[in-house]
Amino acid sequence: MAAALGCSVSAPVILHVISGLGIGGAEASLVQIATALQARGLPQHVVCAGTLDDHAEELRSCGVEVTVLGVNSAARLPGSIIRITRMIRMLDPAVVQ
């Protein structure tokens, strides 16, 4: 409808939050889902609470945005929650999972 009216419509962003991107079943599933949806034109953004691990480069090479918070202690957790909250406000994602 918007395209017929001459308006541009951007696809909704899907924001994924995960503790880490190392080797594991949840991580592998996230990579499969995010890269498949990105390939179908649905923008994906992954927030990794931990450190940059095995799957981050695979996601980035498929065009998926990856933000690493680098939480390595409980002392850094409150700051990360604030960063995630700001990111949600900035990106205004359709889905946070």
Side-chain angles (χ1 to χ4, degrees), residues 25-39:
E27 295 84 350
S29 293
L30 173 63
V31 170
Q32 289 176 343
I33 292 166
T35 56
L37 291 173
Q38 182 78 26

Side-chain angles (χ1 to χ4, degrees), residues 28-94:
S29 293
L30 173 63
V31 170
Q32 289 176 343
I33 292 166
T35 56
L37 291 173
Q38 182 78 26
R40 287 172 178 76
L42 294 169
Q44 306 292 298
H45 194 118
V46 173
V47 175
C48 174
T51 58
L52 204 56
D53 290 317
D54 303 315
H55 291 297
E57 195 52 46
E58 182 179 355
L59 288 164
R60 286 181 174 149
S61 69
C62 292
V64 176
E65 294 284 332
V66 178
T67 299
V68 179
L69 300 178
V71 176
N72 54 9
S73 70
R76 296 191 69 185
L77 192 57
S80 334
I81 292 170
I82 291 169
R83 286 181 65 195
I84 291 172
T85 302
R86 286 181 184 153
M87 188 171 294
I88 290 170
R89 287 184 185 141
M90 180 186 74
L91 293 172
D92 191 27

